[in-house]
Amino acid sequence: GAGVSQSPSNKVTEKGKDVELRCDPISGHTALYWYRQSLGQGLEFLIYFQGNSAPDKSGLPSDRFSAERTGGSVSTLTIQRTQQEDSAVYLCASSSPYGYEQYFGPGTRLTVT
Amino acid sequence: AQSVTQLDSHVSVSEGTPVLLRCNYSSSYSPSLFWYVQHPNKGLQLLLKYTSAATLVKGINGFEAEFKKSETSFHLTKPSAHMSDAAEYFCVVSEGRGSTLGRLYFGRGTQLTVWP
């Protein structure tokens, strides 16, 4: 079956612009996660959606970052007024309620110039 | 609080020799533990997982890991390295399981180089 998909695969934006990154989880997976991978910080948790519960936003680095998940499926991560330190690979993962692992998408490489 | 320490940032081995990638964790609860692999310009792939069943866990591509609670360790091993094993490896911990798996905590990664 199809895995987690993310779009775009690459995004170059100018400092100060807003960007939206999209994640399509595996069908039937109720949990969805966003992580960020950068050279300086390694892999960091950003936000987590579980079913209809309120999301765990504890990893968002600033109020410029937000995410939503519509219809319990697709998720969009939005970064407003991008800064150069936002340059990273943004990874999405999903998991089923019956499994133990998270399945990762290929990521979106964001470059802020 | 959860944390993971990968004791080596780089490991180099010759093809056909054993691989040992070391990982120690800190957890307030009985953790779930994972090893993920990331090949260059590829996504994260799950190698194996420990979720409170057998302490010796077998994964894909001949890798295995042993959960040692007394040592808070979860080292990854393989008897004989292959050139295709060259990649970055991440040790990962979570407090939850199943529907409450929750966020993952990643180590900083170990870059494995395999020499011919």
Side-chain angles (χ1 to χ4, degrees):
Chain A
V4 177
S5 61
Q6 294 185 245
S7 60
S9 54
N10 281 284
K11 176 72 177 179
V12 180
T13 190
E14 292 180 353
K15 177 182 172 181
K17 296 283 180 69
D18 297 352
V19 295
E20 288 188 348
L21 312 180
R22 176 186 167 106
C23 172
D24 282 272
I26 293 172
S27 177
H29 280 193
T30 55
L32 186 148
Y33 311 78
W34 285 97
Y35 296 87
R36 176 167 74 172
Q37 185 173 25
S38 59
L39 280 175
Q41 302 299 321
L43 270 151
E44 307 172 273
F45 165 77
L46 295 176
I47 187 169
Y48 157 44
F49 297 88
Q50 173 62 60
N52 296 320
S53 303
D56 175 357
K57 303 180 182 181
S58 61
L60 294 178
S62 78
D63 59 9
R64 296 186 296 104
F65 287 73
S66 63
E68 62 177 19
R69 189 178 185 193
T70 53
S73 181
V74 171
S75 176
T76 302
L77 177 70
T78 300
I79 309 173
Q80 296 179 309
R81 304 181 303 282
T82 51
Q83 304 294 312
Q84 287 188 329
E85 61 262 29
D86 300 334
S87 296
V89 177
Y90 289 81
L91 296 167
C92 176
S94 69
S95 65
S96 84
Y98 313 109
Y100 291 86
E101 61 262 34
Q102 295 181 17
Y103 295 86
F104 283 81
T108 294
R109 181 175 298 277
L110 175 67
T111 304
V112 182
T113 61
Chain B
Q2 310 281 298
S3 68
V4 176
T5 302
Q6 291 184 243
L7 298 163
D8 306 291
S9 58
H10 291 86
V11 169
S12 294
V13 300
S14 297
E15 191 174 23
T17 63
V19 175
L20 170 63
L21 305 184
R22 299 181 294 165
C23 172
N24 286 100
Y25 70 91
S26 169
S27 174
S28 304
Y29 305 96
S30 181
S32 297
L33 292 159
F34 309 84
W35 277 95
Y36 279 84
V37 61
Q38 187 174 38
H39 287 91
N41 300 313
K42 297 289 180 72
L44 286 161
Q45 180 184 18
L46 180 70
L47 269 183
L48 49 79
K49 63 190 179 208
Y50 165 78
T51 55
S52 81
T55 57
L56 183 61
V57 180
K58 294 188 183 300
I60 62 172
N61 300 334
F63 284 94
E64 61 183 39
E66 186 171 8
F67 173 68
K68 292 187 176 180
K69 186 174 181 179
S70 60
E71 298 176 10
T72 61
S73 70
F74 191 58
H75 301 334
L76 181 70
T77 60
K78 182 173 180 178
S80 177
H82 192 272
M83 295 294 291
S84 61
D85 295 329
E88 187 151 26
Y89 292 78
F90 294 93
C91 183
V92 182
V93 65
S94 170
E95 288 182 345
R97 325 172 133 46
S99 62
T100 59
L101 182 60
R103 60 174 289 184
L104 300 180
Y105 296 79
F106 285 81
R108 294 303 296 261
T110 297
Q111 183 67 45
L112 176 65
T113 299
V114 182
W115 300 102

